[in-house]
């Protein structure tokens, strides 16, 4: 796969849906041996802003996946 896979997630959420989605993505990637970098947007608002800019959606919330600069989605 060309480009690094980046997984934007948050460690601080009260949303069961977000936690479930994040866990499912991790499970799928790990079970297929796909390496990825995790970016926890809860540690700095700049990371959230960067994720939203890359996604082209000012209201995007984690989890989100990117290959390099290409938005894969979620």
């Amino acid at each position: 796969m060309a480009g690094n896979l980046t997984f934007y997630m948050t460690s601080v959420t009260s949303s069961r849906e977000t936690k479930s989605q994040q866990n499912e993505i991790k499970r799928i990637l790990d079970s297929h041996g796909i390496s990825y970098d995790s970016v926890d947007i809860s540690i700095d608002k700049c990371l959230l802003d960067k994720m939203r800019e890359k996604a082209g959606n000012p209201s995007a919330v984690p989890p989100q996946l990117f290959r390099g600069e290409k938005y894969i989605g979620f």
Side-chain angles (χ1 to χ4, degrees):
M1 182 182 307
N4 295 333
L5 192 63
T6 305
F7 173 48
Y8 282 85
M9 47 76 68
T10 182
S11 60
V12 180
T13 181
S14 60
S15 169
R16 285 185 178 166
E17 182 178 1
T18 297
K19 288 178 187 177
S20 175
Q21 290 170 342
Q22 291 179 158
N23 288 336
E24 184 67 7
I25 289 171
K26 286 181 191 180
R27 186 192 65 74
I28 291 168
L29 294 173
D30 292 343
S31 71
H32 285 78
I34 299 171
S35 62
Y36 58 93
D37 296 319
S38 290
V39 177
D40 186 352
I41 60 105
S42 68
I43 61 172
D44 189 335
K45 185 181 180 310
C46 291
L47 296 171
L48 172 63
D49 294 339
K50 181 178 179 180
M51 178 196 76
R52 287 177 170 173
E53 181 180 329
K54 286 175 68 172
N57 180 348
S59 61
V61 294
Q64 298 292 330
L65 286 171
F66 297 86
R67 182 174 36 191
E69 293 299 311
K70 183 178 179 184
Y71 178 60
I72 296 174
F74 188 78

